[in-house]
Structures are given as structure tokens and as C-alpha cells.
Amino acid sequence: MPKAPQLVVALDLPSLEENLALARIISLCPKRENIWLKVGLRAFIRDGAKGVEMIKKTSGARIFLDLKLYDIPNTMADAANECANLGIDMMTIHASSGLDGMRAVMQALAKSAPDMKVMAVSALTSFDDRSFYAVYGKKVDSGVCDLSALASEAGVSGMVCSVLESSAIKAAHSHLLTLTPGIRPAQDQKPDDQKRTATIQEAINAGADFLVIGRPIYTAQDPKAAIESALMQIDCLQGGLQ
Ligand code: C5P
């Protein structure tokens, strides 16, 4: 029986107070154990470790620190250890940082935080084939396939990808988790800067393990209702698969 995916709410709001208000709403959700909170570049650069601590305390949720590390192996390993010191549960590195960088991170965390989930970013969901080709010299599908093979060899927990690549990653590497941003819960929702978007139904069909939703929740008129609706959709659609 496939496991229900977890909802990851991106806290990309313009102030710590607004992120904490959303964290408070989440702490009151009946199904809060199925929700992770994502602290990304904006919040971390502004609010730092203290912000992470306050969000964790306010929400009681597991924290995904999405800093997408990309550097030389020694710096990546040291940075990963610093992430572990923040008491977070999941983090991101770039698969394109290469086998040595990813391995260095996994070796460092094997000692400092063996339970940390490390997700390797394949192709950002804001890339389409043309913009990805301009940087990597291949199409998204083949780039994601190559980067997943490298990340699997390095021993990461899973891949950050769009829903469109999730099934292919799982077919090639059944042990890898997939975390998919670019989720737009309703068909007619605007993609914003995302190019490879999908609905919750499509994400579940593709076997995604973590569904990241930011703007469709935090810019909604009623974010609490948007979270509850996403959780309900996950429940109902996942039920349909069983
Ligand atoms: O607002 P939206 O739902 O588009 O937010 C998606 C979140 O996921 C953002 O915080 C963005 O930084 C992050 N993300 C992404 N694509 C990736 C990796 C992370 O959109 N490949």
C-alpha cells in the first residue's frame, strides 16, 4: 500500500511575524503531524538560526531547511554539520555539486545527524527544457536522470524534482524519495515563476513523497482553509489509490 505523501508548507513570507502566524495556524491543524514546514533562503537569511528555532517551537512541526548547498566538498560537509546543529529534520543540497560534494555531506551527517533526510536538487521547477539546456546542455528529463544516478550513488535520501520526473526517478532508483515543489492544488491556479507545475492528484499518481506548497497557501484569503483543503485532497486521493 503506497504511503500518503506529506505536505510541506513553504514559509516564504516577508517577515518572521508572518511566518510565525502561519506556523501557529499549522500548530492548530488536526492533522499537523502530516505537515512539515520549509524554511528557505528568504527566511533564513533574514531570521537565521533564531528564526528556525522559533518556527519549530511555535509549530511543533518538523523543519525542512531548504538552502540548496552548492560548494566544494569540505565546505558542503561543514555547512551540513551546521545545519544538523539547528535541530532540523530535512535539508537540500544541489546534485550538480557532484559526487564528491554529496558524498562528503552524507559522510559528515552519518556521524552528526544520521536521521537527517538529505534531498538533492535535480532541475529547479522554474526551469523549462530551454532554460535548463542553456545551463546544463541537456533536456530536463535526461538531466534529472543523470543527476539522480549520481545522487543515488552518493547515498542521498531523495531528489527534489517536479512531479513530471518523479515516476522516472522511482522507476530507476526505488529507494529514493521524491520531494516535488511547483504544486498548484487547483487546475486553474497561476504558476507564478514555476514552469513544471502539477496538481495534488498528479503528484500522488507520480508517487511523490513530499508535496511543497508555498504561494497557493500563504497568499490565500484563508490560509488555514487552504491547508485543510490540501490535506483533505491528499487523504481522499491517496485513499483512491489503495
Ligand atoms: O510558492 P511556491 O509553491 O511556488 O513555492 C515553492 C517553494 O519551493 C519555494 O520556496 C521554492 O524556493 C522551493 N523550491 C522550488 N523548486 C525547487 C526547489 C525548491 O520551487 N526545485
Short mmCIF file of all heavy atoms in Angstrom, two decimals, residues 22 46 95 104 182 226:
data_model
loop_
_atom_site.label_atom_id
_atom_site.label_comp_id
_atom_site.label_asym_id
_atom_site.label_seq_id
_atom_site.Cartn_x
_atom_site.Cartn_y
_atom_site.Cartn_z
N LEU A 22 1.68 31.84 10.46
CA LEU A 22 1.31 30.64 9.68
C LEU A 22 1.70 29.38 10.47
O LEU A 22 0.95 28.39 10.50
CB LEU A 22 2.01 30.68 8.32
CG LEU A 22 1.57 29.67 7.27
CD1 LEU A 22 0.06 29.64 7.08
CD2 LEU A 22 2.23 29.98 5.92
N ARG A 46 17.16 36.27 6.53
CA ARG A 46 16.62 37.34 7.36
C ARG A 46 16.62 36.99 8.86
O ARG A 46 17.01 37.80 9.68
CB ARG A 46 15.18 37.65 6.89
CG ARG A 46 14.53 38.84 7.58
CD ARG A 46 13.06 38.94 7.16
NE ARG A 46 12.35 37.72 7.49
CZ ARG A 46 11.48 37.11 6.68
NH1 ARG A 46 11.20 37.62 5.50
NH2 ARG A 46 10.89 35.99 7.05
N ALA A 95 22.41 18.43 -6.50
CA ALA A 95 23.04 17.25 -7.09
C ALA A 95 24.16 17.67 -8.04
O ALA A 95 25.17 16.97 -8.18
CB ALA A 95 22.00 16.41 -7.84
N ALA A 104 30.55 13.82 0.62
CA ALA A 104 31.12 14.49 1.81
C ALA A 104 30.01 14.85 2.79
O ALA A 104 30.17 14.69 4.02
CB ALA A 104 31.90 15.73 1.38
N GLY A 182 6.31 23.23 -6.84
CA GLY A 182 5.53 23.56 -8.04
C GLY A 182 4.14 22.97 -8.01
O GLY A 182 3.50 22.82 -9.05
N ALA A 226 -6.96 26.71 3.11
CA ALA A 226 -6.15 26.18 2.00
C ALA A 226 -5.35 24.96 2.47
O ALA A 226 -5.21 23.97 1.73
CB ALA A 226 -5.22 27.27 1.46
#
